[in-house]
Amino acid sequence: MSTERPGPDGGAGGDGGKRAPEPTGVDLARVALRAAKEQARARGDAARQKKQARRGGLRSGARADGRDPMALGAAINRLINERGWEAPAAVGGVMGRWPQIVGDDLAKHCVPQRYDEDERVLSVLCDSTAWATQLRLLAPALVARLNEDLGHGTVRMIKVHGPSGPPRGYGPLRAPGSRGPGDTYG
């Protein structure tokens, strides 16, 4: 059995049944005035846009807006961020700085070809099997260096490709089962 009595508003008495008071007189007037100002501002903006359209387009003013020119670097950075091209652009920068990253000797003989963003694999083409072997030995250290520059996990693996030779033709001067000059082409 409850001992609470109904309060003046018909609800249960005590602290647990308090409601926010309904707006009255002055509060209602403030709410109505605020709504009227917002509607007038919206109508004014629409009228200003129509007037500018009649005058031949938008006019430049003293304040900065979205139509102002921007520096080329800032525009490119904004495009890269909007499109989500951060990782491919960073790897492209690495391809441009390849000699500084791997050294001049290695850069003369090994050239980065492409970057697979899905698998995070950098493909590198070497001009001889000796340089391809050398790059395969240096690959773990090179992956660590690239991830240090680009961010952890950007390059997971370096796929090294050696030189590709001419198609192996069979003729009267070929020994059966011969694979050709394997040291040079492969």
Short mmCIF file of all heavy atoms in Angstrom, two decimals, residues 15 25 27 36 49-50 71 79 85 138 157-158 171:
data_model
loop_
_atom_site.label_atom_id
_atom_site.label_comp_id
_atom_site.label_asym_id
_atom_site.label_seq_id
_atom_site.Cartn_x
_atom_site.Cartn_y
_atom_site.Cartn_z
N ASP A 15 9.99 14.15 -4.80
CA ASP A 15 11.01 14.59 -5.76
C ASP A 15 11.00 13.79 -7.05
O ASP A 15 11.40 14.29 -8.08
CB ASP A 15 12.40 14.46 -5.13
CG ASP A 15 12.58 15.46 -3.99
OD1 ASP A 15 11.65 16.24 -3.76
OD2 ASP A 15 13.64 15.42 -3.34
N GLY A 25 4.10 32.73 -21.35
CA GLY A 25 4.21 34.12 -21.75
C GLY A 25 5.52 34.54 -22.40
O GLY A 25 5.70 34.45 -23.61
N ASP A 27 8.57 33.25 -22.24
CA ASP A 27 9.33 32.17 -22.86
C ASP A 27 8.77 31.82 -24.24
O ASP A 27 9.52 31.59 -25.18
CB ASP A 27 9.32 30.93 -21.96
CG ASP A 27 10.05 31.16 -20.65
OD1 ASP A 27 11.01 31.96 -20.67
OD2 ASP A 27 9.67 30.54 -19.65
N ALA A 36 11.14 33.20 -35.92
CA ALA A 36 10.90 34.21 -36.95
C ALA A 36 12.22 34.75 -37.49
O ALA A 36 12.36 34.99 -38.70
CB ALA A 36 10.04 35.34 -36.38
N GLN A 49 20.96 35.17 -52.99
CA GLN A 49 21.45 34.26 -54.02
C GLN A 49 20.78 34.54 -55.36
O GLN A 49 21.43 34.51 -56.41
CB GLN A 49 21.24 32.82 -53.59
CG GLN A 49 22.17 32.37 -52.50
CD GLN A 49 21.86 30.97 -52.00
OE1 GLN A 49 20.88 30.36 -52.41
NE2 GLN A 49 22.70 30.47 -51.10
N LYS A 50 19.47 34.83 -55.35
CA LYS A 50 18.77 35.16 -56.60
C LYS A 50 19.33 36.43 -57.20
O LYS A 50 19.55 36.54 -58.41
CB LYS A 50 17.28 35.34 -56.35
CG LYS A 50 16.52 34.05 -56.17
CD LYS A 50 15.05 34.34 -55.99
CE LYS A 50 14.25 33.10 -55.71
NZ LYS A 50 12.84 33.39 -55.49
N ALA A 71 46.72 27.45 -53.07
CA ALA A 71 48.02 27.03 -53.58
C ALA A 71 47.91 25.62 -54.18
O ALA A 71 47.07 24.82 -53.74
CB ALA A 71 49.05 27.03 -52.46
N LEU A 79 42.86 16.99 -52.45
CA LEU A 79 42.38 15.95 -53.36
C LEU A 79 42.83 14.56 -52.88
O LEU A 79 42.03 13.62 -52.88
CB LEU A 79 42.90 16.21 -54.78
CG LEU A 79 42.51 15.20 -55.83
CD1 LEU A 79 41.01 15.27 -56.09
CD2 LEU A 79 43.27 15.44 -57.11
N TRP A 85 43.88 8.62 -51.13
CA TRP A 85 45.06 8.18 -51.86
C TRP A 85 46.32 8.37 -51.05
O TRP A 85 47.42 8.45 -51.62
CB TRP A 85 45.21 8.96 -53.16
CG TRP A 85 44.14 8.73 -54.17
CD1 TRP A 85 43.27 7.69 -54.26
CD2 TRP A 85 43.83 9.59 -55.28
NE1 TRP A 85 42.45 7.84 -55.33
CE2 TRP A 85 42.76 9.00 -55.98
CE3 TRP A 85 44.35 10.78 -55.72
CZ2 TRP A 85 42.22 9.58 -57.11
CZ3 TRP A 85 43.80 11.36 -56.86
CH2 TRP A 85 42.75 10.74 -57.53
N LEU A 138 68.52 -8.30 -49.10
CA LEU A 138 68.30 -7.03 -48.40
C LEU A 138 66.83 -6.71 -48.16
O LEU A 138 66.52 -5.71 -47.52
CB LEU A 138 68.93 -5.88 -49.21
CG LEU A 138 70.45 -5.90 -49.36
CD1 LEU A 138 70.89 -4.82 -50.31
CD2 LEU A 138 71.10 -5.73 -48.00
N MET A 157 55.73 -6.75 -48.22
CA MET A 157 56.69 -7.63 -48.87
C MET A 157 57.23 -6.94 -50.13
O MET A 157 56.55 -6.13 -50.75
CB MET A 157 55.99 -8.94 -49.26
CG MET A 157 56.88 -9.97 -49.88
SD MET A 157 56.03 -11.53 -50.17
CE MET A 157 55.14 -11.18 -51.67
N ILE A 158 58.45 -7.28 -50.47
CA ILE A 158 59.03 -6.81 -51.74
C ILE A 158 59.15 -8.03 -52.64
O ILE A 158 59.77 -9.03 -52.29
CB ILE A 158 60.40 -6.16 -51.52
CG1 ILE A 158 60.24 -4.88 -50.71
CG2 ILE A 158 61.07 -5.88 -52.85
CD1 ILE A 158 61.52 -4.16 -50.43
N GLY A 171 66.10 -25.79 -81.66
CA GLY A 171 66.64 -25.91 -83.01
C GLY A 171 67.70 -26.99 -83.06
O GLY A 171 67.91 -27.74 -82.11
#
